[in-house]
Amino acid sequence: MHSEPDNAALPLDPETCRQARLARDSRFDGEFFLAVRTTGIYCRPVCPARPPAEKNVTYYRSATEAAAAGFRPCLRCRPESAPLSPAWLGSATTVRRALALIEAGALNDGPVEALAERLGVGERYLRKLFQRELGASPLSVAQNQRLLFARKLLAETSMPITDIAFAAGFGSVRRFNSAVQESFRTTPGRLRGRKKRTVPEGEITLQLQYRPPYDWDGVLGFFARHAIEGVDAVTDGYYHRRLMLAGEEANLRVCRQADKSALRVHLQVQDPRRLMPLVARLRRVFDLDSHPRAIAGHLGRDPALASLLQRFPGVRSPVHWSLFEAAVRTVAGQQVSVSGARTVCARLVAHSGSRGFPDPAVLAALPDSAYAMPGRRRETLRGVCALFARDEDEPTVEQLAALPGIGPWTIDMVAMRGRGDSDRFPAADLGLQRAWEALPATDQSTAPRASDWSPWGSYAANLLWRSL
């Protein structure tokens, strides 16, 4: 998850919000929502509809807050398409983790009690935290997520309405129809309209919005350099990935949508219930919910980075598909080049016979001959596989740090590339040192000033790597 500046949790300034909505300023898209009391509808600040009178407007930090107050989402600006509001990122750590799990569908198949147990807190305490931080219950947040995701699928895909109901996490079509009627005052069929969408059979196409600017060339270049044969690839401006979801093969392609601040995703998924967590994962992988204006404003105070920010606006910190995959890639890359690590990982994938990146238990069971690395590193990698294989829930970075052969560089890289931490700077990385020394505005006798870049150390690292 990404931390945001402290002011993300401060009360909204009505005058700033007024100016932003009247100007339809895209920099504020996703940072707040406006609700119109006379119509009962809430919108994004970039909504193309005629601006309402200020006396009829109430501002909210998140779509969830507006929905909890009884407002319906606008059908023109589609609040579900706004980049994730950063407001909740100033909330308690437990709430941040809970929201990430809810976004991935944690309450679609289980009760709040199970979610609280995964977070290591009591159900009553979790409800209290949500009420204090967001003014809404976990179930109301989940219901709003389901409705907005369903609205997105209705607007952007040709999926059957029954499939959309289950993809959005509803237990039945009847419940789906009832929820849509209550929230949107219409039926799913009328909400969809009659627009025809031509896509290959069995494929789902979606748009994933972000706050501009977005350094697509840098992100695509990252995936191209780290692509593993048999798992992922970059060709003709597309990122391709093959993966297994609950035992079923899925395929995806991602490219930049030229006419919008969005990526276009082409998905082939057999079970529609896998769609919501898959989309949530893609947003993390491509770092679509970061705040480029806030990041550039902070890092740009350093003259050494200011010129790089101008060259590469919208720098992102992309992540690998999972914490486990990031850990395997990083351990395989200890003391070797990125190209060497790709070769090692491709050999492991080939020996495993997996469709996509192998599971921990599969990798752990491979013979020594499959590991093209020194014996000590092989045992470290086997230890990583064993840790992930025996825990039902994903282990923490701190648990990884306790394993033999896992040092500070490895932990920083795994936290950055697996968990999406925003403030990791692996200062011992040779590539970062070379990039720093190549900058004309730096004193080469001093080390990079990672402490000055907090809480955006990961973005400073990606910016320096990008300069190479």
Side-chain angles (χ1 to χ4, degrees):
M1 305 302 297
H2 303 302
S3 59
E4 287 287 333
D6 293 340
N7 62 4
L10 294 178
L12 290 168
D13 175 31
E15 179 57 23
T16 300
C17 292
R18 185 187 70 82
Q19 294 180 18
R21 75 173 180 88
L22 292 178
R24 296 191 175 95
D25 193 333
S26 62
R27 296 176 301 170
F28 291 86
D29 190 17
E31 292 202 44
F32 71 88
F33 295 81
L34 58 120
V36 186
R37 292 188 290 274
T38 51
T39 62
I41 290 173
Y42 71 92
C43 303
R44 299 159 60 180
V46 294
C47 184
R50 181 179 177 179
E54 186 68 18
K55 65 180 181 180
N56 297 323
V57 172
T58 302
Y59 297 106
Y60 293 96
R61 273 289 184 190
S62 70
T64 296
E65 288 182 81
F71 293 95
R72 307 188 307 277
C74 174
L75 300 184
R76 293 192 65 181
C77 66
R78 295 175 49 205
E80 78 279 358
S81 297
L84 181 65
S85 171
W88 61 269
L89 293 167
S91 304
T93 300
T94 300
V95 175
R96 294 203 304 268
R97 292 175 58 205
L99 284 167
L101 291 171
I102 290 172
E103 184 187 8
L107 291 183
N108 293 350
D109 301 317
V112 176
E113 182 181 5
L115 174 62
E117 186 175 345
R118 290 181 66 178
L119 296 167
V121 299
E123 179 184 355
R124 183 178 178 182
Y125 179 66
L126 182 62
R127 292 180 185 277
K128 183 178 179 180
L129 279 179
F130 264 68
Q131 195 61 43
R132 186 184 71 193
E133 300 287 346
L134 301 175
S137 70
L139 286 177
S140 65
V141 171
Q143 180 77 339
N144 189 55
Q145 290 279 1
R146 294 186 195 110
L147 286 166
L148 293 182
F149 191 64
R151 175 70 183 94
K152 183 177 183 67
L153 296 180
L154 287 167
E156 298 181 16
T157 77
S158 56
M159 291 174 63
I161 288 178
T162 298
D163 287 351
I164 289 177
F166 291 111
F170 290 91
S172 69
V173 177
R174 180 182 61 80
R175 290 182 181 178
F176 172 60
N177 289 336
S178 176
V180 169
Q181 182 67 46
E182 182 179 349
S183 179
F184 296 100
R185 301 293 191 271
T186 188
T187 65
R190 290 178 178 175
L191 197 59
R192 160 167 277 171
R194 298 182 179 179
K195 185 186 297 183
K196 292 185 178 180
R197 301 168 185 85
T198 304
V199 296
E201 186 177 354
E203 183 173 278
I204 299 168
T205 301
L206 290 172
Q207 297 174 18
L208 303 184
Q209 282 75 16
Y210 55 76
R211 291 185 187 87
Y214 187 90
D215 183 19
W216 169 247
D217 290 340
V219 172
L220 196 64
F222 166 81
F223 289 118
R225 290 191 301 276
H226 292 83
I228 298 173
E229 185 176 355
V231 177
D232 54 358
V234 172
T235 58
D236 300 326
Y238 278 86
Y239 171 72
H240 303 257
R241 173 97 190 190
R242 183 170 70 171
L243 61 152
M244 299 298 293
L245 298 175
E248 298 177 344
E249 185 171 351
N251 293 276
L252 61 88
R253 294 179 294 133
V254 183
C255 68
R256 186 175 191 174
Q257 186 142 340
D259 58 340
K260 296 182 179 179
S261 297
L263 302 185
R264 189 168 71 250
V265 182
H266 303 263
L267 299 165
Q268 292 177 329
V269 182
Q270 297 181 44
D271 186 346
R273 291 174 298 180
R274 309 297 172 198
L275 199 55
M276 181 182 278
L278 181 57
V279 169
R281 183 67 61 93
L282 281 168
R283 294 200 68 86
R284 289 184 61 248
V285 167
F286 284 88
D287 193 18
L288 298 180
D289 295 318
S290 68
H291 199 312
R293 186 164 56 94
I295 294 167
H298 184 78
L299 297 183
R301 299 171 189 169
D302 189 329
L305 298 185
S307 61
L308 293 184
L309 288 165
Q310 292 179 354
R311 287 173 57 193
F312 310 113
V315 66
R316 291 306 204 264
S317 184
V319 303
H320 295 304
W321 196 256
S322 67
L323 188 66
F324 172 65
E325 183 175 323
V328 170
R329 286 175 177 264
T330 304
V331 172
Q334 289 176 343
Q335 300 179 344
V336 299
S337 65
V338 171
S339 177
R342 287 176 58 187
T343 301
V344 170
C345 290
R347 183 169 178 173
L348 290 171
V349 171
H351 277 78
S352 73
S354 300
R355 291 174 292 173
F357 201 84
D359 292 334
V362 173
L363 276 188
L366 293 179
D368 289 354
S369 58
Y371 291 82
M373 60 185 69
R376 184 172 294 181
R377 196 178 310 152
R378 180 184 66 234
E379 294 311 308
T380 297
L381 191 49
R382 280 213 170 106
V384 169
C385 294
L387 176 63
F388 278 85
R390 67 172 174 260
D391 288 344
E392 183 176 344
D393 286 330
E394 196 172 67
T396 65
V397 171
E398 291 70 28
Q399 288 174 295
L400 276 172
L403 296 177
I406 302 292
W409 177 85
T410 300
I411 287 300
D412 281 342
M413 292 297 293
V414 171
M416 179 196 301
R417 297 303 190 202
R419 197 167 62 182
D421 284 6
S422 66
D423 199 17
R424 295 282 181 165
F425 189 89
D429 186 85
L430 294 178
L432 290 180
Q433 293 174 8
R434 291 204 334 264
W436 177 257
E437 292 168 359
L439 292 179
T442 61
D443 180 355
Q444 297 185 13
S445 65
T446 63
R449 300 180 291 272
S451 59
D452 294 343
W453 302 329
S454 181
W456 308 115
S458 298
Y459 291 86
N462 278 273
L463 194 58
L464 288 167
W465 279 317
R466 181 78 167 93
S467 71
L468 294 176

